Amino acid sequence: MDSVVFEDTDEDLKSWQTDRNRAPIATKIVVAGGFGVGKTTLVTAVSEITPLQTEALMTEASEETDDLTATPGKLTTTVAMDFGRLTLDDDLVLYLFGTPGQQRFWFMWDDLVRGAIGAVVLADTRRLKDCFPALDYFESCGLPYVVAVNHFDGSDLFEPADVREALTIPAHIPVMIMDARRRISVIETLLALVGHALDETPE
């Protein structure tokens, strides 16, 4: 039996070289949620570069507007944004933008979400109502999002189905339990968002 020899054509070689030299796809992701829910922690845990943080010390001036009941040890707060970068593959780089959680900083959200493919909405089961503004915002602007419950030490652990029902999250929106301090947990959440965004907006 004669052997078959496959030869690369000039077109095949050019295509291969193009794939090898192709610049990675830069993808913007927003991390949102209520005050003190773990957005800065998430970006810090997963970023491969030193994350940009705009943390400011909590002062007496914010006592009447920032509820520290569930986070008594919190000493700082984000006043602009968090920024980090994560390379998931040779051709996919995620740029993470964490939004400030307090209502007085919501005016910045329109600028932060511009160009994003999707958002992670962090939730804390001790104060689920705090993530409603983010949910309403992304629903209204049509940006794909996933809901990630950041499980804090000492808080009750609920099933994703219970959180979905409590927040009336549509069935097609992924809901997961995660730990913003653990890199692998954050990566799993980001992968879920990327997959969901591709399903929602394939283009």
Side-chain angles (χ1 to χ4, degrees):
M1 181 176 179
D2 294 335
S3 59
V4 179
V5 178
F6 293 95
E7 295 183 354
D8 290 332
T9 65
D10 290 341
E11 290 75 14
D12 293 332
L13 182 58
K14 290 178 181 178
S15 176
W16 179 82
Q17 289 175 333
T18 299
D19 291 339
R20 293 281 294 178
N21 298 327
R22 185 170 51 194
I25 298 172
T27 303
K28 181 179 180 180
I29 287 177
V30 173
V31 182
F35 170 71
V37 77
K39 299 180 293 295
T40 299
T41 301
L42 183 152
V43 174
T44 302
V46 79
S47 180
E48 64 196 17
I49 62 173
T50 301
L52 168 66
Q53 298 176 350
T54 55
E55 293 281 288
L57 288 172
M58 305 284 291
T59 65
E60 293 181 358
S62 66
E63 286 182 352
E64 296 184 1
T65 55
D66 298 330
D67 184 4
L68 297 177
T69 305
T71 56
K74 187 171 177 61
L75 301 176
T76 62
T77 183
T78 300
V79 295
M81 70 172 184
D82 299 308
F83 172 77
R85 185 186 72 198
L86 172 64
T87 301
L88 281 181
D89 203 346
D90 291 339
D91 59 354
L92 180 59
V93 178
L94 304 183
Y95 291 95
L96 310 176
F97 290 78
T99 66
Q102 300 97 314
Q103 182 175 355
R104 61 184 179 278
F105 296 124
W106 287 353
F107 70 91
M108 302 173 59
W109 285 22
D110 287 341
D111 290 328
L112 288 176
V113 304
R114 187 173 293 115
I117 67 159
V120 174
V121 177
L122 284 181
D124 180 352
T125 55
R126 299 169 299 181
R127 45 203 173 97
L128 281 178
K129 63 180 180 62
D130 288 358
C131 68
F132 277 122
L135 295 175
D136 292 342
Y137 180 87
F138 296 124
E139 283 286 352
S140 64
C141 70
L143 189 70
Y145 67 91
V146 300
V147 176
V149 179
N150 187 17
H151 181 56
F152 287 83
D153 295 335
S155 63
D156 293 330
L157 183 60
F158 294 91
E159 294 296 322
D162 297 328
V163 176
R164 182 185 301 279
E165 181 178 359
L167 295 175
T168 62
I169 303 296
H172 70 284
I173 304 294
V175 177
M176 61 208 71
I177 309 298
M178 55 90 72
D179 186 337
R181 300 167 299 183
R182 295 180 58 241
R183 179 180 174 86
I184 187 62
S185 182
V186 175
I187 289 176
E188 290 172 350
T189 299
L190 295 175
L191 286 174
L193 172 61
V194 172
H196 176 60
L198 286 173
D199 291 338
E200 294 288 294
T201 54
E203 68 277 6

